[in-house]
Amino acid sequence: MLKLWICGANGQIGQAINEVLDPLEFEVFNSDKEELDITDIDEVISFGEINRPDVIINCAGVTHIDVCEEDPKLAYKVNALGARNLAIISAKLNAKIVQLSSDDVFDGRSLDPYNEFDKTNPMTTYGRSKLAGENYVKEFTQKHFILRSTWVYGKGSNFVSHFLERVESGDRISVAADQFGSPTSANELARFILYIIKTNEYGTYHATCTGTCSRYAFAKEILALTGKSAELKAVPTKESEFSVARPAYAVLDNFIMSIIDVYDFPDWKSALKDFIQGGN
Ligand SMILES: NC(=O)c1ccc[n+]([C@@H]2O[C@H](COP(=O)([O-])OP(=O)(O)OC[C@H]3O[C@@H](n4cnc5c(N)ncnc54)[C@H](OP(=O)(O)O)[C@@H]3O)[C@@H](O)[C@H]2O)c1
């Protein structure tokens, strides 16, 4: 049985991994901030040495863009140094590590999907701290999988949940039509994580559902699938009181996955349908 240590287990990706994994296949240690703060190197080493996981999955992070801008020290402490601490214990235990990262390591100015070989150029504190986390993981351990994803939704706070809350309010909702991405189900990302950790195909991956849409098209699809109605207006981000400023182009090309040719993500619409209709 593979021993997994999931850090940030209460977040939406941590919860999704717990939901999709087969408990007969994995022994799981879940921890979140309350049980184990990943920024405390001594705690991290002691937890690792006691439990001796085969794989560490780092889902912990400061994920609110505004919080990162307001408190850059916290952003770097958790997103960069926390990742470093987990990489250090991974190397010590000869364990594999999965580091979750983001399209925010790119500047969002491209007109084509970013692949794993494209130059990073983060524009926000969140993006810079995530890139620093990636670099620490590469520096401290070889057996790493760095997975960059985008527009993730699952059980938690995300575009789908915020949008549905607004729909309930009955107000007209103006949604950005100039932000593009690939909505990615946390459960689909979790399935890929559980797949890749059994391989030795280390390195950096773009890991998103396929296909691209605007925030506005994403919102329209949520309405269609839930059967709810709302007055929607397509607007530029700066005129939207609903859409926060985000990279204009957050589309990632799952290029390495396509080379290895063993794993396919579903398209964003079918994954969204599964999530909304089946709750997964
Ligand atoms: N959501 C997306 O669209 C997306 C896209 C690409 C990549 N990612 C990355 O994927 C990872 C997980 O994302 P998510 O959406 O699951 O995030 P999330 O729902 O915000 O979960 C993050 C979890 O980490 C916990 N945490 C914060 N600081 C911690 C610390 N010092 N020690 C231990 N745990 C700590 C949080 O606790 P509190 O809530 O109590 O602070 C929360 O439970 C993040 O690294 C994120 O950057 C997310």
Side-chain angles (χ1 to χ4, degrees), residues 20 28 40 79 114 201 207 214 227 231-232 262:
V20 304
V28 184
D40 185 331
N79 294 344
Y114 292 98
E201 304 270 10
S214 66
E231 198 185 334
L232 279 195
V262 279

Side-chain angles (χ1 to χ4, degrees), residues 11 50 53 60 67 88 90 100 106 119 130 139 145 149 173 181 186 190 200 206-207 217 229 246 279:
I50 292 167
V67 172
I88 288 171
S90 299
L100 268 306
F106 296 110
K119 197 171 174 303
K130 292 301 293 182
E139 185 182 339
F145 304 99
S149 197
I173 314 168
N200 295 315
H206 290 179
S229 56
R246 301 293 296 120

